[in-house]
Short mmCIF file of all heavy atoms in Angstrom, two decimals:
data_model
loop_
_atom_site.label_atom_id
_atom_site.label_comp_id
_atom_site.label_asym_id
_atom_site.label_seq_id
_atom_site.Cartn_x
_atom_site.Cartn_y
_atom_site.Cartn_z
N MET A 1 26.71 7.93 4.67
CA MET A 1 25.95 6.69 4.56
C MET A 1 24.47 6.97 4.54
O MET A 1 23.95 7.59 5.45
CB MET A 1 26.31 5.80 5.71
CG MET A 1 27.70 5.26 5.68
SD MET A 1 27.72 3.55 5.20
CE MET A 1 27.18 2.73 6.64
N GLY A 2 23.79 6.48 3.57
CA GLY A 2 22.34 6.66 3.54
C GLY A 2 21.62 5.61 4.36
O GLY A 2 22.25 4.59 4.79
N VAL A 3 20.39 5.78 4.53
CA VAL A 3 19.55 4.78 5.22
C VAL A 3 19.37 3.60 4.29
O VAL A 3 19.11 3.78 3.09
CB VAL A 3 18.19 5.40 5.60
CG1 VAL A 3 17.29 4.36 6.25
CG2 VAL A 3 18.39 6.57 6.52
N ILE A 4 19.55 2.41 4.84
CA ILE A 4 19.34 1.21 4.02
C ILE A 4 17.86 0.93 3.98
O ILE A 4 17.18 0.81 5.03
CB ILE A 4 20.05 -0.04 4.62
CG1 ILE A 4 21.57 0.25 4.60
CG2 ILE A 4 19.71 -1.30 3.83
CD1 ILE A 4 22.35 -0.77 5.41
N GLU A 5 17.31 0.95 2.78
CA GLU A 5 15.85 0.76 2.63
C GLU A 5 15.53 -0.70 2.25
O GLU A 5 15.92 -1.14 1.21
CB GLU A 5 15.35 1.72 1.58
CG GLU A 5 15.75 3.15 1.93
CD GLU A 5 14.66 4.18 1.55
OE1 GLU A 5 13.97 3.91 0.57
OE2 GLU A 5 14.55 5.17 2.28
N LEU A 6 14.82 -1.35 3.18
CA LEU A 6 14.45 -2.77 2.93
C LEU A 6 13.10 -2.78 2.30
O LEU A 6 12.27 -1.88 2.51
CB LEU A 6 14.45 -3.51 4.24
CG LEU A 6 15.75 -3.58 5.02
CD1 LEU A 6 15.55 -4.20 6.37
CD2 LEU A 6 16.79 -4.35 4.21
N PRO A 7 12.82 -3.82 1.53
CA PRO A 7 11.45 -3.93 0.98
C PRO A 7 10.46 -4.10 2.09
O PRO A 7 10.77 -4.62 3.15
CB PRO A 7 11.49 -5.20 0.10
CG PRO A 7 12.93 -5.63 0.06
CD PRO A 7 13.69 -4.88 1.17
N VAL A 8 9.23 -3.67 1.82
CA VAL A 8 8.14 -3.89 2.78
C VAL A 8 7.85 -5.42 2.82
O VAL A 8 7.76 -6.06 1.80
CB VAL A 8 6.86 -3.12 2.36
CG1 VAL A 8 5.73 -3.41 3.33
CG2 VAL A 8 7.17 -1.67 2.29
N GLU A 9 7.71 -5.93 4.03
CA GLU A 9 7.48 -7.39 4.18
C GLU A 9 6.02 -7.77 3.94
O GLU A 9 5.10 -7.09 4.38
CB GLU A 9 7.87 -7.82 5.57
CG GLU A 9 9.39 -7.80 5.80
CD GLU A 9 9.77 -8.47 7.09
OE1 GLU A 9 9.40 -7.93 8.16
OE2 GLU A 9 10.44 -9.53 7.06
N ASP A 10 5.86 -8.85 3.22
CA ASP A 10 4.55 -9.37 2.91
C ASP A 10 4.11 -10.29 4.02
O ASP A 10 4.22 -11.52 3.90
CB ASP A 10 4.61 -10.10 1.55
CG ASP A 10 3.21 -10.48 1.05
OD1 ASP A 10 2.26 -10.47 1.83
OD2 ASP A 10 3.10 -10.87 -0.12
N THR A 11 3.70 -9.72 5.14
CA THR A 11 3.29 -10.51 6.29
C THR A 11 1.81 -10.36 6.58
O THR A 11 1.18 -9.45 6.09
CB THR A 11 4.02 -10.02 7.57
OG1 THR A 11 3.67 -8.68 7.81
CG2 THR A 11 5.55 -10.11 7.42
N LYS A 12 1.27 -11.29 7.36
CA LYS A 12 -0.12 -11.24 7.75
C LYS A 12 -0.42 -9.95 8.53
O LYS A 12 -1.47 -9.34 8.34
CB LYS A 12 -0.47 -12.45 8.56
CG LYS A 12 -1.93 -12.70 8.73
CD LYS A 12 -2.19 -14.13 9.21
CE LYS A 12 -3.69 -14.41 9.27
NZ LYS A 12 -4.40 -13.65 10.28
N GLU A 13 0.51 -9.56 9.39
CA GLU A 13 0.31 -8.33 10.16
C GLU A 13 0.23 -7.10 9.23
O GLU A 13 -0.66 -6.29 9.41
CB GLU A 13 1.53 -8.15 11.13
CG GLU A 13 1.55 -9.11 12.28
CD GLU A 13 1.96 -10.52 11.86
OE1 GLU A 13 2.63 -10.71 10.85
OE2 GLU A 13 1.66 -11.48 12.63
N ASN A 14 1.13 -7.06 8.28
CA ASN A 14 1.05 -5.87 7.36
C ASN A 14 -0.22 -5.95 6.51
O ASN A 14 -0.81 -4.89 6.21
CB ASN A 14 2.30 -5.87 6.49
CG ASN A 14 3.51 -5.39 7.26
OD1 ASN A 14 3.46 -4.89 8.36
ND2 ASN A 14 4.71 -5.49 6.62
N LEU A 15 -0.58 -7.13 6.13
CA LEU A 15 -1.83 -7.26 5.34
C LEU A 15 -3.06 -6.74 6.15
O LEU A 15 -3.86 -6.00 5.65
CB LEU A 15 -2.03 -8.71 4.93
CG LEU A 15 -3.36 -9.01 4.22
CD1 LEU A 15 -3.46 -8.19 2.90
CD2 LEU A 15 -3.49 -10.49 3.91
N ASN A 16 -3.04 -7.10 7.42
CA ASN A 16 -4.18 -6.67 8.26
C ASN A 16 -4.21 -5.13 8.40
O ASN A 16 -5.28 -4.54 8.34
CB ASN A 16 -4.12 -7.29 9.64
CG ASN A 16 -4.54 -8.72 9.64
OD1 ASN A 16 -5.32 -9.14 8.76
ND2 ASN A 16 -4.09 -9.49 10.58
N VAL A 17 -3.06 -4.53 8.50
CA VAL A 17 -2.99 -3.08 8.61
C VAL A 17 -3.46 -2.48 7.25
O VAL A 17 -4.22 -1.50 7.20
CB VAL A 17 -1.54 -2.61 8.94
CG1 VAL A 17 -1.44 -1.10 8.82
CG2 VAL A 17 -1.16 -3.04 10.34
N CYS A 18 -3.00 -3.07 6.17
CA CYS A 18 -3.37 -2.56 4.86
C CYS A 18 -4.86 -2.65 4.67
O CYS A 18 -5.48 -1.80 4.04
CB CYS A 18 -2.62 -3.34 3.77
SG CYS A 18 -2.81 -2.61 2.17
N MET A 19 -5.50 -3.70 5.19
CA MET A 19 -6.91 -3.89 4.98
C MET A 19 -7.69 -2.71 5.62
O MET A 19 -8.78 -2.35 5.12
CB MET A 19 -7.38 -5.19 5.59
CG MET A 19 -6.97 -6.36 4.70
SD MET A 19 -7.32 -7.96 5.51
CE MET A 19 -8.09 -8.83 4.14
N ASP A 20 -7.15 -2.14 6.66
CA ASP A 20 -7.78 -0.98 7.31
C ASP A 20 -7.59 0.31 6.48
O ASP A 20 -8.28 1.28 6.73
CB ASP A 20 -7.19 -0.72 8.72
CG ASP A 20 -7.67 -1.75 9.71
OD1 ASP A 20 -8.71 -2.39 9.48
OD2 ASP A 20 -7.00 -1.91 10.76
N ASN A 21 -6.61 0.32 5.63
CA ASN A 21 -6.28 1.56 4.90
C ASN A 21 -6.69 1.42 3.43
O ASN A 21 -7.63 2.06 2.99
CB ASN A 21 -4.81 1.82 5.05
CG ASN A 21 -4.54 2.27 6.50
OD1 ASN A 21 -4.65 3.40 6.84
ND2 ASN A 21 -4.14 1.32 7.35
N CYS A 22 -5.98 0.60 2.68
CA CYS A 22 -6.42 0.35 1.26
C CYS A 22 -7.85 -0.19 1.23
O CYS A 22 -8.57 0.07 0.30
CB CYS A 22 -5.46 -0.62 0.59
SG CYS A 22 -3.83 0.07 0.25
N GLY A 23 -8.20 -0.92 2.27
CA GLY A 23 -9.55 -1.52 2.29
C GLY A 23 -10.67 -0.54 2.48
O GLY A 23 -11.87 -0.94 2.32
N THR A 24 -10.35 0.68 2.88
CA THR A 24 -11.35 1.74 2.94
C THR A 24 -11.07 2.88 2.05
O THR A 24 -11.56 4.00 2.23
CB THR A 24 -11.47 2.23 4.41
OG1 THR A 24 -10.16 2.71 4.81
CG2 THR A 24 -11.89 1.11 5.39
N CYS A 25 -10.28 2.65 1.03
CA CYS A 25 -9.83 3.71 0.09
C CYS A 25 -10.83 3.83 -1.07
O CYS A 25 -11.24 2.81 -1.62
CB CYS A 25 -8.45 3.37 -0.44
SG CYS A 25 -7.87 4.50 -1.69
N PRO A 26 -11.21 5.03 -1.42
CA PRO A 26 -12.15 5.20 -2.50
C PRO A 26 -11.57 5.09 -3.89
O PRO A 26 -12.29 5.12 -4.89
CB PRO A 26 -12.66 6.61 -2.25
CG PRO A 26 -11.51 7.32 -1.63
CD PRO A 26 -10.83 6.31 -0.80
N SER A 27 -10.27 4.94 -4.00
CA SER A 27 -9.63 4.96 -5.35
C SER A 27 -9.73 3.62 -6.10
O SER A 27 -9.50 3.60 -7.30
CB SER A 27 -8.15 5.37 -5.18
OG SER A 27 -8.07 6.68 -4.70
N LEU A 28 -9.99 2.57 -5.37
CA LEU A 28 -10.13 1.26 -6.00
C LEU A 28 -11.44 0.65 -5.64
O LEU A 28 -12.05 0.95 -4.63
CB LEU A 28 -9.01 0.31 -5.50
CG LEU A 28 -7.78 0.16 -6.42
CD1 LEU A 28 -6.93 1.43 -6.40
CD2 LEU A 28 -6.98 -1.03 -6.03
N PRO A 29 -11.96 -0.29 -6.50
CA PRO A 29 -13.15 -1.03 -6.15
C PRO A 29 -12.87 -1.87 -4.89
O PRO A 29 -11.71 -2.14 -4.61
CB PRO A 29 -13.41 -1.94 -7.35
CG PRO A 29 -12.46 -1.55 -8.41
CD PRO A 29 -11.37 -0.72 -7.76
N PHE A 30 -13.90 -2.30 -4.18
CA PHE A 30 -13.75 -3.15 -3.00
C PHE A 30 -14.04 -4.61 -3.38
O PHE A 30 -15.05 -4.85 -4.01
CB PHE A 30 -14.63 -2.67 -1.87
CG PHE A 30 -14.39 -3.47 -0.60
CD1 PHE A 30 -13.41 -3.10 0.28
CD2 PHE A 30 -15.11 -4.64 -0.34
CE1 PHE A 30 -13.15 -3.81 1.43
CE2 PHE A 30 -14.89 -5.37 0.82
CZ PHE A 30 -13.88 -4.93 1.71
N PRO A 31 -13.28 -5.53 -2.90
CA PRO A 31 -12.02 -5.38 -2.20
C PRO A 31 -10.86 -5.06 -3.17
O PRO A 31 -10.78 -5.67 -4.19
CB PRO A 31 -11.82 -6.77 -1.53
CG PRO A 31 -12.50 -7.71 -2.42
CD PRO A 31 -13.67 -6.98 -3.07
N PRO A 32 -10.02 -4.14 -2.77
CA PRO A 32 -8.88 -3.81 -3.59
C PRO A 32 -7.93 -5.06 -3.64
O PRO A 32 -7.61 -5.62 -2.60
CB PRO A 32 -8.21 -2.66 -2.92
CG PRO A 32 -8.61 -2.76 -1.48
CD PRO A 32 -9.98 -3.37 -1.52
N GLN A 33 -7.56 -5.46 -4.77
CA GLN A 33 -6.71 -6.68 -4.92
C GLN A 33 -5.39 -6.30 -5.58
O GLN A 33 -5.39 -5.50 -6.54
CB GLN A 33 -7.42 -7.74 -5.77
CG GLN A 33 -8.65 -8.33 -5.09
CD GLN A 33 -8.30 -9.15 -3.83
OE1 GLN A 33 -7.15 -9.59 -3.70
NE2 GLN A 33 -9.22 -9.23 -2.91
N PRO A 34 -4.25 -6.86 -5.11
CA PRO A 34 -4.13 -7.90 -4.08
C PRO A 34 -3.84 -7.34 -2.71
O PRO A 34 -3.40 -8.10 -1.83
CB PRO A 34 -2.97 -8.73 -4.59
CG PRO A 34 -2.06 -7.71 -5.17
CD PRO A 34 -2.93 -6.64 -5.78
N TYR A 35 -4.16 -6.09 -2.43
CA TYR A 35 -3.78 -5.49 -1.12
C TYR A 35 -2.27 -5.37 -1.01
O TYR A 35 -1.53 -5.93 -1.89
CB TYR A 35 -4.31 -6.25 0.08
CG TYR A 35 -5.75 -5.98 0.45
CD1 TYR A 35 -6.71 -7.00 0.30
CD2 TYR A 35 -6.14 -4.76 1.01
CE1 TYR A 35 -8.05 -6.73 0.65
CE2 TYR A 35 -7.44 -4.52 1.35
CZ TYR A 35 -8.36 -5.53 1.20
OH TYR A 35 -9.71 -5.29 1.59
N LEU A 36 -1.81 -4.69 -0.03
CA LEU A 36 -0.38 -4.57 0.28
C LEU A 36 0.46 -4.24 -0.94
O LEU A 36 1.47 -4.87 -1.25
CB LEU A 36 0.09 -5.91 0.91
CG LEU A 36 1.17 -5.89 2.00
CD1 LEU A 36 0.89 -4.81 3.03
CD2 LEU A 36 1.24 -7.23 2.66
N PHE A 37 -0.01 -3.26 -1.64
CA PHE A 37 0.59 -2.87 -2.92
C PHE A 37 2.01 -2.39 -2.77
O PHE A 37 2.85 -2.57 -3.65
CB PHE A 37 -0.24 -1.74 -3.58
CG PHE A 37 -1.68 -2.13 -3.75
CD1 PHE A 37 -2.65 -1.59 -2.90
CD2 PHE A 37 -2.07 -3.08 -4.65
CE1 PHE A 37 -3.99 -1.93 -3.02
CE2 PHE A 37 -3.42 -3.45 -4.77
CZ PHE A 37 -4.36 -2.87 -3.95
N CYS A 38 2.35 -1.82 -1.59
CA CYS A 38 3.69 -1.35 -1.35
C CYS A 38 4.68 -2.50 -1.30
O CYS A 38 5.86 -2.34 -1.56
CB CYS A 38 3.77 -0.49 -0.07
SG CYS A 38 3.21 -1.37 1.38
N ALA A 39 4.21 -3.71 -0.98
CA ALA A 39 5.03 -4.91 -0.94
C ALA A 39 4.79 -5.82 -2.16
O ALA A 39 5.76 -6.46 -2.65
CB ALA A 39 4.74 -5.72 0.32
N ARG A 40 3.58 -5.93 -2.61
CA ARG A 40 3.23 -6.92 -3.64
C ARG A 40 3.22 -6.36 -5.06
O ARG A 40 3.26 -7.10 -5.99
CB ARG A 40 1.82 -7.46 -3.33
CG ARG A 40 1.80 -8.25 -2.03
CD ARG A 40 0.40 -8.71 -1.72
NE ARG A 40 0.37 -9.61 -0.56
CZ ARG A 40 -0.73 -10.09 -0.02
NH1 ARG A 40 -1.91 -9.77 -0.55
NH2 ARG A 40 -0.67 -10.86 1.02
N GLY A 41 3.11 -5.04 -5.17
CA GLY A 41 3.10 -4.46 -6.50
C GLY A 41 1.67 -4.00 -6.87
O GLY A 41 0.75 -4.03 -6.08
N LYS A 42 1.58 -3.55 -8.13
CA LYS A 42 0.39 -2.85 -8.54
C LYS A 42 -0.84 -3.69 -8.66
O LYS A 42 -0.73 -4.92 -8.69
CB LYS A 42 0.66 -2.06 -9.82
CG LYS A 42 1.12 -2.94 -10.99
CD LYS A 42 1.48 -2.08 -12.21
CE LYS A 42 2.79 -1.33 -12.06
NZ LYS A 42 3.23 -0.71 -13.33
N SER A 43 -1.96 -3.03 -8.75
CA SER A 43 -3.25 -3.70 -8.93
C SER A 43 -3.62 -3.76 -10.38
O SER A 43 -3.20 -2.87 -11.16
CB SER A 43 -4.34 -2.91 -8.16
OG SER A 43 -5.59 -3.48 -8.37
N SER A 44 -4.36 -4.75 -10.78
CA SER A 44 -4.84 -4.78 -12.17
C SER A 44 -6.27 -4.22 -12.24
O SER A 44 -6.86 -4.17 -13.31
CB SER A 44 -4.84 -6.23 -12.66
OG SER A 44 -5.67 -7.01 -11.84
N GLN A 45 -6.74 -3.70 -11.11
CA GLN A 45 -8.10 -3.08 -11.08
C GLN A 45 -8.06 -1.67 -11.65
O GLN A 45 -6.99 -1.08 -11.78
CB GLN A 45 -8.61 -3.07 -9.68
CG GLN A 45 -8.90 -4.46 -9.07
CD GLN A 45 -9.26 -4.38 -7.64
OE1 GLN A 45 -8.56 -3.77 -6.82
NE2 GLN A 45 -10.37 -4.99 -7.24
N LYS A 46 -9.24 -1.18 -11.99
CA LYS A 46 -9.33 0.19 -12.45
C LYS A 46 -9.15 1.14 -11.27
O LYS A 46 -9.88 1.10 -10.33
CB LYS A 46 -10.69 0.41 -13.13
CG LYS A 46 -10.90 1.81 -13.70
CD LYS A 46 -12.10 1.85 -14.61
CE LYS A 46 -12.51 3.27 -14.94
NZ LYS A 46 -11.42 4.14 -15.41
N ILE A 47 -8.20 2.01 -11.36
CA ILE A 47 -7.88 2.96 -10.30
C ILE A 47 -8.37 4.35 -10.71
O ILE A 47 -8.09 4.82 -11.77
CB ILE A 47 -6.36 2.99 -10.09
CG1 ILE A 47 -5.88 1.61 -9.61
CG2 ILE A 47 -6.01 4.09 -9.02
CD1 ILE A 47 -4.40 1.38 -9.89
N GLU A 48 -9.15 4.94 -9.85
CA GLU A 48 -9.58 6.32 -10.01
C GLU A 48 -9.00 7.08 -8.86
O GLU A 48 -9.33 6.83 -7.70
CB GLU A 48 -11.10 6.47 -10.02
CG GLU A 48 -11.75 5.87 -11.25
CD GLU A 48 -13.23 6.11 -11.21
OE1 GLU A 48 -13.67 7.29 -11.22
OE2 GLU A 48 -13.99 5.13 -11.17
N ARG A 49 -8.11 8.02 -9.11
CA ARG A 49 -7.42 8.71 -8.03
C ARG A 49 -8.34 9.61 -7.28
O ARG A 49 -8.65 10.72 -7.65
CB ARG A 49 -6.26 9.55 -8.66
CG ARG A 49 -5.12 8.69 -9.11
CD ARG A 49 -3.93 9.57 -9.51
NE ARG A 49 -2.74 8.81 -9.77
CZ ARG A 49 -1.50 9.23 -9.46
NH1 ARG A 49 -1.34 10.39 -8.89
NH2 ARG A 49 -0.47 8.47 -9.74
N LYS A 50 -8.82 9.10 -6.19
CA LYS A 50 -9.71 9.88 -5.25
C LYS A 50 -9.06 10.07 -3.92
O LYS A 50 -9.77 10.20 -2.91
CB LYS A 50 -11.05 9.15 -5.13
CG LYS A 50 -11.80 9.04 -6.45
CD LYS A 50 -13.16 8.29 -6.19
CE LYS A 50 -13.92 8.14 -7.48
NZ LYS A 50 -15.12 7.32 -7.26
N GLY A 51 -7.77 9.96 -3.86
CA GLY A 51 -7.06 10.08 -2.59
C GLY A 51 -6.35 8.75 -2.28
O GLY A 51 -6.81 7.72 -2.72
N CYS A 52 -5.25 8.83 -1.61
CA CYS A 52 -4.48 7.68 -1.18
C CYS A 52 -4.25 7.76 0.31
O CYS A 52 -3.77 8.77 0.83
CB CYS A 52 -3.14 7.63 -1.94
SG CYS A 52 -2.07 6.30 -1.40
N LYS A 53 -4.61 6.72 1.04
CA LYS A 53 -4.48 6.72 2.50
C LYS A 53 -3.16 6.24 3.04
O LYS A 53 -2.96 6.20 4.24
CB LYS A 53 -5.60 5.77 3.06
CG LYS A 53 -6.98 6.22 2.73
CD LYS A 53 -8.01 5.43 3.50
CE LYS A 53 -9.35 6.19 3.50
NZ LYS A 53 -10.22 5.66 4.59
N CYS A 54 -2.28 5.88 2.12
CA CYS A 54 -0.98 5.31 2.56
C CYS A 54 -0.23 6.17 3.60
O CYS A 54 0.32 5.59 4.53
CB CYS A 54 -0.09 5.02 1.36
SG CYS A 54 -0.73 3.65 0.39
N PRO A 55 -0.12 7.49 3.43
CA PRO A 55 0.73 8.23 4.40
C PRO A 55 0.24 8.11 5.84
O PRO A 55 1.02 8.32 6.78
CB PRO A 55 0.63 9.68 3.91
CG PRO A 55 0.36 9.55 2.44
CD PRO A 55 -0.56 8.33 2.35
N ALA A 56 -1.00 7.78 6.10
CA ALA A 56 -1.50 7.56 7.46
C ALA A 56 -1.37 6.14 7.94
O ALA A 56 -1.71 5.83 9.08
CB ALA A 56 -2.96 8.04 7.52
N CYS A 57 -0.88 5.29 7.09
CA CYS A 57 -0.81 3.87 7.41
C CYS A 57 0.47 3.55 8.22
O CYS A 57 1.54 3.96 7.88
CB CYS A 57 -0.78 3.09 6.10
SG CYS A 57 -0.38 1.35 6.30
N PRO A 58 0.32 2.76 9.28
CA PRO A 58 1.48 2.43 10.11
C PRO A 58 2.58 1.71 9.30
O PRO A 58 3.77 1.86 9.61
CB PRO A 58 0.91 1.53 11.19
CG PRO A 58 -0.51 1.94 11.32
CD PRO A 58 -0.95 2.31 9.93
N VAL A 59 2.22 0.91 8.34
CA VAL A 59 3.23 0.23 7.50
C VAL A 59 4.08 1.27 6.77
O VAL A 59 5.29 1.15 6.65
CB VAL A 59 2.59 -0.75 6.54
CG1 VAL A 59 3.61 -1.31 5.57
CG2 VAL A 59 1.88 -1.88 7.29
N TYR A 60 3.42 2.27 6.28
CA TYR A 60 4.06 3.38 5.52
C TYR A 60 5.05 4.11 6.47
O TYR A 60 6.18 4.35 6.13
CB TYR A 60 2.96 4.30 5.04
CG TYR A 60 3.43 5.43 4.10
CD1 TYR A 60 3.27 5.32 2.72
CD2 TYR A 60 3.93 6.64 4.60
CE1 TYR A 60 3.64 6.32 1.86
CE2 TYR A 60 4.29 7.67 3.75
CZ TYR A 60 4.15 7.52 2.39
OH TYR A 60 4.49 8.52 1.52
N ILE A 61 4.53 4.40 7.64
CA ILE A 61 5.38 5.16 8.61
C ILE A 61 6.57 4.32 9.08
O ILE A 61 7.70 4.81 9.10
CB ILE A 61 4.47 5.64 9.75
CG1 ILE A 61 3.46 6.64 9.22
CG2 ILE A 61 5.29 6.27 10.89
CD1 ILE A 61 2.25 6.85 10.11
N GLU A 62 6.31 3.08 9.45
CA GLU A 62 7.39 2.22 9.97
C GLU A 62 8.51 1.98 8.90
O GLU A 62 9.66 1.84 9.26
CB GLU A 62 6.80 0.81 10.35
CG GLU A 62 6.12 0.83 11.70
CD GLU A 62 5.22 -0.39 11.90
OE1 GLU A 62 5.36 -1.40 11.10
OE2 GLU A 62 4.35 -0.30 12.76
N ASN A 63 8.07 1.94 7.68
CA ASN A 63 9.08 1.65 6.59
C ASN A 63 9.59 2.92 5.95
O ASN A 63 10.34 2.83 4.94
CB ASN A 63 8.41 0.75 5.55
CG ASN A 63 8.23 -0.70 6.04
OD1 ASN A 63 9.12 -1.51 5.97
ND2 ASN A 63 7.06 -0.99 6.58
N ASN A 64 9.27 4.05 6.49
CA ASN A 64 9.75 5.36 5.91
C ASN A 64 9.47 5.45 4.42
O ASN A 64 10.35 5.84 3.64
CB ASN A 64 11.24 5.51 6.17
CG ASN A 64 11.55 5.60 7.65
OD1 ASN A 64 10.94 6.44 8.37
ND2 ASN A 64 12.50 4.82 8.14
N LEU A 65 8.28 5.10 4.04
CA LEU A 65 7.94 5.10 2.60
C LEU A 65 7.75 6.52 2.14
O LEU A 65 7.48 7.40 2.93
CB LEU A 65 6.74 4.23 2.34
CG LEU A 65 6.81 2.79 2.75
CD1 LEU A 65 5.58 2.02 2.32
CD2 LEU A 65 8.07 2.13 2.17
N GLU A 66 7.86 6.67 0.84
CA GLU A 66 7.58 7.95 0.17
C GLU A 66 6.66 7.67 -1.02
O GLU A 66 6.70 6.59 -1.55
CB GLU A 66 8.88 8.61 -0.30
CG GLU A 66 9.74 9.06 0.86
CD GLU A 66 11.08 9.67 0.38
OE1 GLU A 66 11.33 9.66 -0.84
OE2 GLU A 66 11.83 10.12 1.23
N GLY A 67 5.90 8.66 -1.39
CA GLY A 67 5.07 8.53 -2.55
C GLY A 67 3.67 8.07 -2.24
O GLY A 67 3.35 7.78 -1.06
N LEU A 68 2.87 7.97 -3.25
CA LEU A 68 1.48 7.60 -3.11
C LEU A 68 1.08 6.60 -4.21
O LEU A 68 1.87 6.37 -5.10
CB LEU A 68 0.58 8.87 -3.26
CG LEU A 68 0.75 9.99 -2.24
CD1 LEU A 68 -0.03 11.19 -2.71
CD2 LEU A 68 0.25 9.51 -0.87
N TYR A 69 -0.10 6.05 -4.08
CA TYR A 69 -0.67 5.24 -5.11
C TYR A 69 0.19 4.07 -5.54
O TYR A 69 0.50 3.86 -6.71
CB TYR A 69 -1.04 6.08 -6.35
CG TYR A 69 -2.12 7.11 -6.08
CD1 TYR A 69 -1.86 8.42 -5.80
CD2 TYR A 69 -3.48 6.73 -6.05
CE1 TYR A 69 -2.82 9.33 -5.52
CE2 TYR A 69 -4.48 7.61 -5.77
CZ TYR A 69 -4.19 8.96 -5.52
OH TYR A 69 -5.15 9.83 -5.26
N PHE A 70 0.64 3.30 -4.55
CA PHE A 70 1.39 2.08 -4.86
C PHE A 70 0.54 1.09 -5.65
O PHE A 70 1.07 0.27 -6.41
CB PHE A 70 1.89 1.41 -3.58
CG PHE A 70 2.78 2.32 -2.74
CD1 PHE A 70 2.39 2.68 -1.47
CD2 PHE A 70 3.96 2.79 -3.25
CE1 PHE A 70 3.17 3.49 -0.66
CE2 PHE A 70 4.76 3.64 -2.48
CZ PHE A 70 4.38 3.97 -1.21
N CYS A 71 -0.75 1.20 -5.50
CA CYS A 71 -1.68 0.32 -6.33
C CYS A 71 -1.47 0.58 -7.80
O CYS A 71 -1.71 -0.26 -8.64
CB CYS A 71 -3.09 0.50 -5.91
SG CYS A 71 -3.70 2.18 -5.99
N GLU A 72 -1.07 1.78 -8.13
CA GLU A 72 -0.89 2.16 -9.55
C GLU A 72 0.62 2.07 -9.95
O GLU A 72 0.93 1.63 -11.04
CB GLU A 72 -1.33 3.64 -9.70
CG GLU A 72 -1.49 4.07 -11.13
CD GLU A 72 -2.16 5.41 -11.19
OE1 GLU A 72 -1.58 6.42 -10.67
OE2 GLU A 72 -3.29 5.52 -11.74
N SER A 73 1.48 2.50 -9.05
CA SER A 73 2.90 2.63 -9.41
C SER A 73 3.71 1.34 -9.10
O SER A 73 4.82 1.13 -9.62
CB SER A 73 3.54 3.79 -8.74
OG SER A 73 3.48 3.68 -7.36
N GLY A 74 3.14 0.52 -8.21
CA GLY A 74 3.86 -0.72 -7.87
C GLY A 74 4.60 -0.63 -6.55
O GLY A 74 4.41 0.33 -5.81
N LYS A 75 5.43 -1.62 -6.26
CA LYS A 75 6.12 -1.73 -5.01
C LYS A 75 6.85 -0.47 -4.60
O LYS A 75 7.39 0.24 -5.44
CB LYS A 75 7.18 -2.83 -5.03
CG LYS A 75 6.60 -4.21 -5.23
CD LYS A 75 7.72 -5.24 -5.30
CE LYS A 75 7.18 -6.57 -5.70
NZ LYS A 75 8.17 -7.64 -5.71
N ALA A 76 6.94 -0.24 -3.29
CA ALA A 76 7.72 0.87 -2.76
C ALA A 76 9.23 0.54 -2.91
O ALA A 76 9.59 -0.62 -2.92
CB ALA A 76 7.36 1.09 -1.30
N HIS A 77 10.02 1.54 -3.00
CA HIS A 77 11.52 1.48 -3.12
C HIS A 77 11.93 1.09 -4.51
O HIS A 77 11.19 0.59 -5.33
CB HIS A 77 12.18 0.57 -2.11
CG HIS A 77 11.80 0.88 -0.68
ND1 HIS A 77 11.78 2.18 -0.21
CD2 HIS A 77 11.37 0.09 0.32
CE1 HIS A 77 11.37 2.15 1.10
NE2 HIS A 77 11.12 0.87 1.38
S1 SF4 B 101 -2.25 2.33 -2.49
FE1 SF4 B 101 -3.20 4.31 -1.84
S2 SF4 B 101 -4.64 4.78 -3.53
FE2 SF4 B 101 -4.13 2.64 -3.69
S3 SF4 B 101 -5.75 1.54 -2.59
FE3 SF4 B 101 -4.01 1.89 -1.16
S4 SF4 B 101 -4.54 3.78 -0.09
FE4 SF4 B 101 -5.78 3.69 -1.91
S1 SF4 B 102 1.38 1.80 2.76
FE1 SF4 B 102 -0.48 1.75 1.53
S2 SF4 B 102 -0.27 -0.13 0.26
FE2 SF4 B 102 1.18 -0.26 1.95
S3 SF4 B 102 0.16 -1.37 3.60
FE3 SF4 B 102 -0.19 0.77 3.98
S4 SF4 B 102 -2.11 1.27 2.99
FE4 SF4 B 102 -1.41 -0.68 2.13
#
């Protein structure tokens, strides 16, 4: 039996955590919109890959996420 992977929840708490991570990321203009890319999907902004802070984000760790640049690739899972 594999681990059941639930979608990342689009909550105010997760948004606040994301603001500390995506909100200080050099890969997107500020403010990165719409934030919480792992839950909401990709950004329509111009992305320049200058690093992705997601692996250090508590939302990433709590949800056992994999991969980088959800702002570019879209929702996790
Ligand atoms: S998803 Fe990754 S690359 Fe994109 S803004 Fe957030 S931390 Fe930066
Ligand atoms: S994993 Fe990345 S996109 Fe998701 S909340 Fe954390 S910093 Fe934002």
